[in-house]
Amino acid sequence: AQGGEIVISEIHYEPSDSEDYQFIELYNAGTGLVNLAGARLAGGVDFLFPAATYLAPGACVLVVENAVAFSNRYRTAGSPWYYPGLAVAGTWAGKLSDDGEAVSLLATNLADLFSVTYEAGGEWPSRAAGKGSSLELAEPAAVPTNGPARAALLAQGATWRSSSLNHGSPGRLDDYERPVVINEALSHTDLDTDWVELFNRNSTTSVLTGLYLGDSYANPLRYAFTNGTQVAPGGYLVRQAAQLGF
């Protein structure tokens, strides 16, 4: 494994429900096939990559806390968070700290290829700290191959972002295009006429099928938009409290 090619691209260190869903994603940002055999994840977790763990250019591999829990959420068709073809190298020993810590990728000779010391506060993305998101590297392909420059970039909270997808996007880079935004909300009225307004910033019609509104990180799928719900370009959509159920 070469540190300039492989980067840690996603860390789900504090899932909103259970640490069983913790995972780390590694991404091959280079142009050649990489064999991770004998490389090691170290820090709060410990994992030795088995023989013939090959990672193609642009591909991802995952190391997880609990293989059964991970498969139930991300590898089972019918789960809202299912994604096909996820490559899981195995399960680690230990656990990721909710408060932040260093995670390192070590070469077969235990040389430190690179480290990421994530934090749960300060300039680091807040939604990754138990609020439903994972911690994602904003631009994996832009990480320098030079060791000191790479270390300096990965140490900055601004280099990372909260995943736009609830429970993260393991096994692929998050390229989700946000079709609409919450533009305005009226809350806590005595007459129970609360509402949420959505706005489509795009120049094309946005279809909201498969999207949800929620009022809690623990229950983000509380209101499902009906099939075929659309918002015209530059248009608005309002949902009342009575429609939302919250």
Side-chain angles (χ1 to χ4, degrees):
Q2 299 180 37
E5 297 174 336
I6 303 297
V7 294
I8 291 177
S9 49
E10 188 170 359
I11 305 172
H12 199 19
Y13 65 88
E14 190 179 358
S16 57
D17 43 6
S18 169
E19 69 182 36
D20 285 340
Y21 299 109
Q22 290 181 342
F23 66 80
I24 292 175
E25 173 192 272
L26 283 83
Y27 171 73
N28 184 353
T31 58
L33 185 69
V34 173
N35 186 2
L36 286 167
R40 191 175 212 112
L41 276 177
V45 299
D46 183 65
F47 179 77
L48 182 66
F49 285 91
T53 306
Y54 292 102
L55 194 57
C60 299
V61 66
L62 298 143
V63 185
V64 305
E65 165 73 21
N66 183 311
V68 173
F70 184 89
S71 291
N72 286 341
R73 172 164 289 175
Y74 300 106
R75 305 176 85 182
T76 301
S79 168
W81 300 280
Y82 167 74
Y83 191 80
L86 296 182
V88 177
T91 59
W92 59 53
K95 68 180 289 291
L96 293 171
S97 171
D98 293 348
D99 299 321
E101 65 185 339
V103 179
S104 301
L105 181 66
L106 308 180
T108 53
N109 63 358
L110 300 185
D112 192 337
L113 294 176
F114 66 84
S115 296
V116 175
T117 302
Y118 67 88
E119 299 179 21
E123 67 171 352
W124 288 75
S126 61
R127 288 205 322 273
K131 297 178 180 178
S133 292
S134 65
L135 185 67
E136 292 185 331
L137 193 57
E139 297 184 64
V143 175
T145 57
N146 174 273
R150 182 173 63 246
L153 185 70
L154 295 177
Q156 299 175 28
T159 302
W160 301 80
R161 66 186 179 190
S162 300
S163 65
S164 61
L165 300 179
N166 193 52
H167 299 316
S169 57
R172 75 279 194 193
L173 301 184
D174 184 1
D175 58 359
Y176 179 70
E177 294 290 338
R178 296 163 177 80
V180 296
V181 296
I182 295 176
N183 187 62
E184 188 174 354
L186 178 66
S187 63
H188 197 57
T189 58
D190 294 333
L191 300 177
D192 195 27
T193 56
D194 300 358
W195 48 261
V196 174
E197 177 188 84
L198 305 180
F199 171 61
N200 181 5
R201 299 179 297 179
N202 300 327
S203 58
T204 58
T205 297
S206 290
V207 180
L208 304 186
T209 302
L211 299 182
Y212 301 82
L213 279 174
D215 63 339
S216 168
Y217 287 117
N219 187 13
L221 310 183
R222 190 163 180 183
Y223 173 81
F225 289 97
T226 56
N227 287 343
T229 301
Q230 298 182 354
V231 188
Y236 299 86
L237 180 70
V238 174
R239 284 292 181 265
Q240 305 282 345
Q243 296 171 289
L244 297 173
F246 59 86

